[in-house]
Amino acid sequence: MLRAGALVALGGATAPLTGCDLFDRDDEPSPPDALEPLAAEALALEARYRAAATAAPALAARLTPIADAHRAHADELRRMIGRPAPSGTPTADPSGAPVTEPDGVLTDLRRAEQQGRTNAAKACAAAPAERAALLGSIAAARATHVEALK
């Protein structure tokens, strides 16, 4: 009987402590979300389009709506992840010399979109149901972008 009373007293004393985050440690970072690379890719694509529109002003009206779509995708992915987007303006991938001739700009962007479409489709196939709809629409949008760049 005394043992039972002691266990109840001990259990009652420790239960409130666990609710106070006494034993929870917030100093360990949470693991990266599987959507982080896709969100980063969307920001990188946006930056590529904005840089391309600056390099080839004749294409700006055609490229700006696609850049805006990539920004919207990045924002929605970040919302789903539950983490804000990194501060600052994304910069385009500096690999290689910038292409300024319109046909070259479109070819480079098509390649980037095709890779992005593949990445989004793979993420969609591996995603849980609550994420698949967004990822499927991003993959479809990227496929549409490839066609718009022809």
Side-chain angles (χ1 to χ4, degrees):
M1 181 93 137
L2 287 175
R3 282 186 192 167
L7 288 174
V8 168
L10 183 59
T14 58
L17 292 177
T18 59
C20 295
D21 290 333
L22 180 64
F23 299 112
D24 291 339
R25 304 272 320 187
D26 286 335
D27 55 351
E28 293 182 26
S30 58
D33 190 287
L35 296 182
E36 290 282 350
L38 204 58
E41 182 180 55
L43 288 175
L45 283 167
E46 176 201 8
R48 276 183 96 154
Y49 275 89
R50 300 223 187 269
T54 301
L59 297 174
R62 190 171 171 189
L63 301 180
T64 300
I66 299 174
D68 294 343
H70 284 298
R71 170 53 77 166
H73 295 160
D75 291 346
E76 191 59 25
L77 286 164
R78 287 290 175 186
R79 186 198 62 74
M80 186 172 277
I81 292 168
R83 294 184 187 152
S87 60
T89 304
T91 56
D93 182 5
S95 60
V99 179
T100 57
E101 190 262 313
D103 287 338
V105 167
L106 295 175
T107 299
D108 285 349
L109 291 174
R110 265 195 313 273
R111 268 192 225 117
E113 283 290 353
Q114 287 167 338
Q115 182 62 50
R117 177 189 61 201
T118 300
N119 294 342
K122 285 179 183 177
C124 181
E130 65 272 6
R131 291 180 165 196
L134 173 63
L135 297 173
S137 68
I138 290 172
R142 290 181 179 181
T144 302
H145 298 163
V146 170
E147 293 303 312
L149 294 170
K150 288 185 177 179

